[in-house]
Amino acid sequence: MDSLHKRTLVEMDNLRGHNSERHNDLSDYVKSVLRASFLIRTTTQKKFTKKPYVFESTFVWDGARTIYLSGYPGKRDWVANIKANPVVYLHSVEGPIGFDFKAQARVIKGFDEKLPYLIMFLERWTNWSTIPRPLFKLVLGIIKANVRLRLPWCGPLFLAKRILSNMPCVEIKMVGEPALRNTGPPSLG
C-alpha cells in the first residue's frame, strides 16, 4: 500500500472518529461503570424494517474498547440484526450518569475463536447471579479443564460443545468518545 493511500485511510478514519491513537483510552468514570456493571443495552436496526431495536444483555469487557455479548443457544433476532447492520450503539444501564457509545459489531462464528469469550461470559454470568449455581460452576470448570488440556470433546463434553457451538457471540468495538446523559437508557424493544 503506497503512502498516499495510507494517508487517505488515516484521514478518513479521523473524519469518522475512529483514530485509535486519539480514542484508545476511556475515562476513569466510563471504565469504573463498565467494570462494575452487569448489564448493557444495545441499539441496532431491525434486519428488514430498519427500525431501532434495543435489547439488554450481560457482557464481557476486555478492559479497553471491546465488549462481547452472548446469550442462550439458538438463533436470535438481535444477532441477525447485528449481522445485517453492524453499526450499533451501546448504552450504560448502571451508574449515576449514563453514557452512550457508537460501536462497530462483528458476529463471531468460528467455535475456536468464540470459545474463550463464551467461557468468560458464562463465568461472569455464573459469578454475578444472586442465585447460587454450584452445579453450573462445576460443569464450567470441567469444560475449562478440557480446553486447557486440549482433550477431545467426547462423552458428556460432546453435548457441552454442541450447546456452546450454538451460543451466539458478538464482538463490539466502541468508537469515538462516549456521549454522557443524565437520563436513563433507551427503553427495551
Side-chain angles (χ1 to χ4, degrees), residues 42-144:
T42 306
T43 300
T44 185
Q45 287 183 342
K46 289 187 177 182
K47 184 176 179 178
F48 297 110
T49 66
K50 306 294 185 205
K51 291 182 180 180
Y53 176 72
V54 180
F55 65 94
E56 191 170 81
S57 177
T58 190
F59 64 97
V60 173
W61 176 50
D62 74 348
R65 290 190 156 265
T66 305
I67 67 165
Y68 298 89
L69 304 179
S70 187
Y72 292 109
K75 292 185 178 187
R76 298 283 166 245
D77 288 346
W78 62 269
V79 177
N81 294 339
I82 287 173
K83 188 175 179 186
N85 304 295
V87 175
V88 300
Y89 293 86
L90 298 174
H91 315 282
S92 64
V93 176
E94 300 157 290
I97 299 174
F99 57 84
D100 306 313
F101 266 102
K102 185 175 183 179
Q104 187 71 31
R106 174 179 76 96
V107 177
I108 301 173
K109 290 190 173 202
F111 180 73
D112 291 335
E113 183 182 3
K114 72 180 181 177
L115 183 60
Y117 305 115
L118 294 176
I119 289 173
M120 287 188 291
F121 178 87
L122 291 170
E123 279 182 319
R124 187 158 197 267
W125 177 78
T126 302
N127 292 329
W128 194 277
S129 177
T130 55
I131 302 168
R133 295 187 170 96
L135 183 59
F136 193 85
K137 286 182 181 183
L138 174 67
V139 171
L140 192 56
I142 292 168
I143 291 170
K144 286 169 50 179

